[in-house]
Amino acid sequence: MSLADAVPAEPDADTLFDAFSSWTTERGIELYPAQEEALIEVVSGANVILSTPTGSGKSLVAVGAHFAALADGRRSFYTAPIKALVSEKFFSLVEIFGTENVGMMTGDSSVNADAPIICCTAEILANIALRHGADADVGQVVADEFHFYAEPDRGWAWQVPILELPRAQFVLMSATLGDVSFFEKDLTRRTGRTTAVVTSAQRPVPLTFRYALTPMHETISELLHGGQAPVYVVHFSQAAAIERAQALSSINVASRAEKDAIAEAIGEFRFSAGFGKTLSRLLRHGIGVHHAGMLPKYRRLVEQLAQAGLLKLICGTDTLGVGINVPIRTVVLSALTKYDGVRQRHLKAREFHQIAGRAGRAGFDTDGYVVVEAPEHVIENAKALEKAGDDPKKKRKITRKKAPEGFVNWTDSTFERLVAAEPEPLTSSFQVSHSMLLNVIARPGDAFASMRHLLEDNHSDRATQRKLILRAIANFRALLSAGVVERLDQPDEQGRRVRLTVDLQFDFALNQPLSPFALAAIELLDRESPSYALDVVSIVESTVDDPRPVLSQQQFKARGEAVAEMKMQGIEYDERMELLENVTYPKPLEEMLDAAYETYRRGHPWVADYALSPKSVVRDMYERAMNFVEYVGFYSLARSEGLVLRYLANTYDALRHTVPDEAKTEPLQDLIEWLGELVRQVDSSLLDEWEALRHPDSEDPHAPPALPEGPPPVTRNERAFRVLVRNQLFRRVELAARRAYADLGELDAATGFDAETWAEAMGDYFEEHDTLGIGPDARGPALLLIEKEPELWRVRQIFDDPQGHHDWGISAEIDLAASDEAGAAVVTVTAVDRP
């Protein structure tokens, strides 16, 4: 029976509380005092600010709030800062309330959008609030991780619903809110409801804090042997987390029986080359790694093994502060400083307590532990003093190790201050954008009065409000001069004195806001051009968020190649350094896109809120004829392969849903199919989840994706597989054109075509022809001949010679079964000749 079936026939505060309490009791859950207090206030109709430690059951209070709203016929919204948490909560609430009662909106996906309970990102709810104001169909808002209110770039989305939804009941939740007296008064003033602040310093699982002066491996050994596992070692960079995991593999973390159990649980899971092999080795030793740069399937595997109690040690980043599904008894912080994108600084009290709060599992642990490592130089000095003992002569001879230059130090005093400190007060980060104005203008009523309310009654100080007002006036004038909005002599039937001249989609400015520009730019291309398909990719890539680690590595490699070339040309050092400033990552169509963007912006001023960013990742991978593993290796991106995959998946999704069908030529459709299959073969979980959410009529649309046993056969999608084969053959053409016989030998030596064989074969070609074409015509499908047999394809990649004879080429066989096993086209070159 779902919780929805437990709604009383005549609900009031008492019957609702009793019904929910009975439901929890039936499941063996005993409510904590803070949970009871919060639930009593919720069913009584009050706003609730719930500031209790991690692990104190805030999620259960959220469930109770949705239950109360459902019983009262009000539509409730659960918001979270990241899509992964929204998705996780969606599946959880579906299990509790039933499929028909829960929907989800994330900008990427919309499922059961008319349901009485909606899980969404904070930006989605803010968009609804701006579009409909007080008339929005929002009866209750449960805002999880409300401390994101203070985020400089995104905090506006947590503030807007408070400003615009006076009829809603609010439940604001976080473990690190700090002083909330301002919100208590503000919510009561705006909604007319009483606002209850429920706080508790009492954790269900008490924490013990310790400052460690022992080296990390000794600290970890002590924790493991002292029964304080599972241990999560927190780092503030992905590289540091991986390096630590590898360093700790010298410790005997797991017994032989435990390692066997891990190996059995891993089973036939496919690990890719590069980081996958490293992770496989670490996991079999009993050590997990967890950070946002990993492939989703790797993170899920680590979480699954941890939940099964098979991992005693996990090295990761501070992403656990946002809530990851990993059981932790002890949190070890490797430092009390982090780089925030501008400078290295001490952790804020809120950050420290968010991380520390993950220690101790309610229902499993009676105690949780937080250990902070002293800086390495401090530990070494303490060791030296300990070794010297009480001998004053030995102490005087000690050469104390100093901190590295530029090191931001922390001490036991820093540690004690953070432990005792309350989280910093939340500060307003309200912003005004073109899209905010457009959404407000789109609603019925007086847009000027609505904007005045937003600008003069937000949570910012008066000086900031004046700046926001000036920005809003400038934005409105731009919209007016562009003809996007128009003034009316008389208010229309809905009370508008100004109205839009364009229609806005529901998720305007949320999911790829530059997609309309991409549509317009595609119209500028020549569909008959050999580069049309790749040019469309470049337009779409310019509208997708930048994968910064990839672009950084592209620039690094480009500058390295430029330096080598300039040295060969004899260019002096100073001039080389000056010229290098102009060398960056590839930006196809940059001039055309910039010009098109400026023209488009004059008629659509709101795009000025979003930066166009020409780049080449998908195009670069395709033109280099590389698969995922080769591309990650080429740019040394093993630590960021999850980010690379998400970028590829987002670009694939944008290509599928942005480019109109009439603009999808055969070569472009081939390329889109290739990209989708490439993503699916690396890690199908992202695409599988999208498809499940977008097709709610499927067999089990709301079941969370299980750990994948393996991707589908790569030969299943023949169109995509043909492109994979073409790319593998064309990569050999490119290398042959550059006479890179050593690289060719690396590809084919195992099957009998080593570097010497390649050099000999191509030597005969180059005796007849000076060059070998590698342009769009050379890549085209017309120069690839395929003869299909049941178990293999026989292929012939014809060379694009300068005379156009097309008599030379590469002959090869494609083993279909081996390709399915490898998730890529397995090529065996049989000849390079002119028959």
Side-chain angles (χ1 to χ4, degrees), residues 417 423 539 769 773:
R417 176 182 59 78
I539 289 173
H769 306 288

Side-chain angles (χ1 to χ4, degrees), residues 111-264:
V111 180
N112 200 16
D114 296 323
I117 300 171
I118 295 293
C119 301
C120 64
T121 54
E123 283 83 357
I124 287 284
L125 179 60
N127 194 46
I128 293 171
L130 289 170
R131 187 74 61 89
H132 300 285
D135 294 329
D137 185 15
V138 181
Q140 182 190 83
V141 175
V142 179
D144 204 355
E145 308 287 353
F146 186 71
H147 56 274
F148 271 77
Y149 168 97
E151 286 289 304
D153 295 328
R154 300 182 60 203
W156 68 272
W158 275 260
Q159 185 172 161
V160 162
I162 295 174
L163 305 180
E164 292 293 282
L165 302 175
R167 298 171 191 166
Q169 176 189 30
F170 286 87
V171 180
L172 312 180
M173 307 190 305
S174 173
T176 55
L177 287 178
D179 181 9
V180 294
S181 56
F182 168 81
F183 296 101
E184 180 184 5
K185 295 173 185 175
D186 189 70
L187 281 174
T188 298
R189 174 176 70 87
R190 294 177 188 277
T191 65
R193 301 172 184 264
T194 59
T195 301
V197 177
V198 180
T199 61
S200 173
Q202 185 74 28
R203 283 179 51 95
V205 179
L207 292 182
T208 300
F209 293 87
R210 178 163 68 90
Y211 190 71
L213 286 167
T214 50
M216 180 67 82
H217 67 279
E218 291 184 19
T219 303
I220 298 301
S221 294
E222 179 184 340
L223 292 170
L224 293 175
H225 292 104
Q228 295 176 22
V231 179
Y232 193 105
V233 188
V234 179
H235 305 79
F236 296 97
S237 76
Q238 296 170 4
I242 297 169
E243 288 168 5
R244 181 77 66 188
Q246 292 175 316
L248 291 174
S249 62
S250 61
I251 298 175
N252 189 19
V253 175
S255 67
R256 180 70 265 165
E258 289 167 335
K259 290 177 181 178
D260 290 343
I262 292 170
E264 183 178 352

Side-chain angles (χ1 to χ4, degrees), residues 31 68 139 274 285 375 474 519 607 617 678 707 718 790:
L31 295 175
H285 190 75
L519 283 174
V607 302
V617 177
L678 183 147
L707 190 71
E718 184 173 305

Side-chain angles (χ1 to χ4, degrees), residues 20-100:
F20 188 75
S21 297
S22 298
W23 180 80
T24 59
T25 301
E26 288 172 6
R27 280 151 185 77
I29 301 171
E30 183 178 349
L31 295 175
Y32 300 125
Q35 289 176 310
E36 284 192 347
E37 181 184 351
L39 287 165
I40 289 170
E41 296 290 353
V42 166
V43 299
S44 299
N47 300 312
V48 173
I49 301 174
L50 184 59
S51 180
T52 57
T54 302
S56 59
K58 288 185 288 294
S59 293
L60 192 61
V61 174
V63 171
H66 292 306
F67 175 69
L70 188 67
D72 199 31
R74 291 177 293 143
R75 199 165 187 229
S76 60
F77 282 72
Y78 167 90
T79 71
I82 58 177
K83 294 174 185 177
L85 288 180
V86 173
S87 179
E88 182 180 308
K89 182 59 67 173
F90 167 71
F91 290 124
S92 173
L93 291 178
V94 162
E95 187 177 344
I96 293 170
F97 288 100
T99 301
E100 69 282 2

Side-chain angles (χ1 to χ4, degrees), residues 251-294:
I251 298 175
N252 189 19
V253 175
S255 67
R256 180 70 265 165
E258 289 167 335
K259 290 177 181 178
D260 290 343
I262 292 170
E264 183 178 352
I266 290 174
E268 298 300 316
F269 184 91
R270 182 195 287 177
F271 292 93
S272 304
F275 176 71
K277 300 304 180 186
T278 300
L279 180 63
S280 176
R281 177 177 55 79
L282 289 170
L283 288 174
R284 295 174 197 281
H285 190 75
I287 300 174
V289 178
H290 196 287
H291 62 71
M294 294 167 60

Side-chain angles (χ1 to χ4, degrees), residues 291-580:
H291 62 71
M294 294 167 60
L295 295 178
K297 66 178 182 180
Y298 292 158
R299 289 202 309 275
R300 285 182 178 165
L301 176 62
V302 172
E303 291 170 10
Q304 187 182 62
L305 294 175
Q307 289 158 5
L310 296 174
L311 294 181
K312 296 179 182 177
L313 179 61
I314 302 173
C315 296
T317 58
D318 57 331
T319 50
L320 87 163
V322 185
I324 60 170
N325 195 16
V326 172
I328 303 163
R329 189 174 192 193
T330 301
V331 167
V332 177
L333 284 88
S334 61
L336 289 178
T337 60
K338 67 181 292 185
Y339 181 70
D340 62 6
V342 178
R343 61 188 176 89
Q344 192 79 14
R345 60 165 176 81
H346 287 122
L347 295 182
K348 296 177 181 178
R350 171 169 289 106
E351 294 167 329
F352 176 78
H353 287 292
Q354 276 292 129
I355 296 167
R358 296 292 162 185
R361 301 162 297 171
F364 293 91
D365 300 322
T366 56
D367 295 280
Y369 303 91
V370 179
V371 180
V372 173
E373 282 282 295
E376 287 185 11
H377 68 280
V378 174
I379 293 173
E380 289 187 25
N381 291 336
K383 280 282 184 184
L385 283 171
E386 182 183 5
K387 189 175 180 181
D390 297 329
D391 189 333
K393 290 183 179 179
K394 290 182 179 179
K395 286 184 177 181
R396 283 196 296 269
K397 290 181 180 179
I398 293 174
T399 303
R400 293 181 182 271
K401 189 167 183 178
K402 295 181 180 180
E405 187 175 349
F407 182 78
V408 177
N409 196 35
W410 69 91
T411 65
D412 54 347
S413 297
T414 314
F415 162 70
E416 290 167 2
R417 176 182 59 78
L418 286 171
V419 171
E422 290 292 322
E424 297 82 3
L426 297 175
T427 55
S428 172
S429 53
F430 192 77
Q431 297 178 8
V432 173
S433 64
H434 289 91
S435 57
M436 178 179 285
L437 264 71
L438 288 168
N439 275 312
V440 171
I441 292 170
R443 76 165 78 154
D446 186 347
F448 293 107
S450 297
M451 279 306 302
R452 185 179 300 114
H453 162 71
L454 272 169
L455 294 167
E456 295 184 349
D457 195 21
N458 58 58
H459 296 164
S460 301
D461 59 47
R462 188 58 188 159
T464 302
Q465 287 178 355
R466 290 192 190 98
K467 294 177 183 177
L468 293 170
I469 290 169
L470 293 175
R471 171 76 186 275
I473 292 171
N475 287 356
F476 177 74
R477 287 173 176 168
L479 294 172
L480 198 63
S481 63
V484 177
V485 300
E486 61 181 6
R487 294 181 185 270
L488 301 176
D489 295 332
Q490 297 291 330
D492 66 11
E493 65 278 4
Q494 292 186 304
R496 297 188 180 96
R497 290 191 293 157
V498 60
R499 69 182 177 191
L500 300 179
T501 61
V502 297
D503 292 326
L504 302 182
Q505 71 270 26
F506 167 73
D507 57 353
F508 170 76
L510 288 175
N511 184 29
Q512 306 306 349
L514 289 176
S515 293
F517 162 75
L519 283 174
I522 288 171
E523 292 298 316
L524 302 176
L525 300 178
D526 176 9
R527 295 186 188 178
E528 301 303 317
S529 168
S531 66
Y532 171 77
L534 288 172
D535 290 344
V536 171
V537 170
S538 291
I539 289 173
V540 171
E541 284 201 80
S542 73
T543 68
V544 179
D545 289 343
D546 287 350
R548 296 199 176 278
V550 183
L551 304 186
S552 176
Q553 287 298 99
Q554 285 182 332
Q555 179 171 282
F556 177 78
K557 185 171 282 287
R559 288 185 171 180
E561 293 171 353
V563 167
E565 180 66 24
M566 286 187 279
K567 283 182 177 179
M568 287 181 60
Q569 295 174 10
I571 298 175
E572 294 297 324
Y573 175 81
D574 289 341
E575 186 179 355
R576 290 204 306 266
M577 294 301 100
E578 186 176 340
L579 291 171
L580 273 182

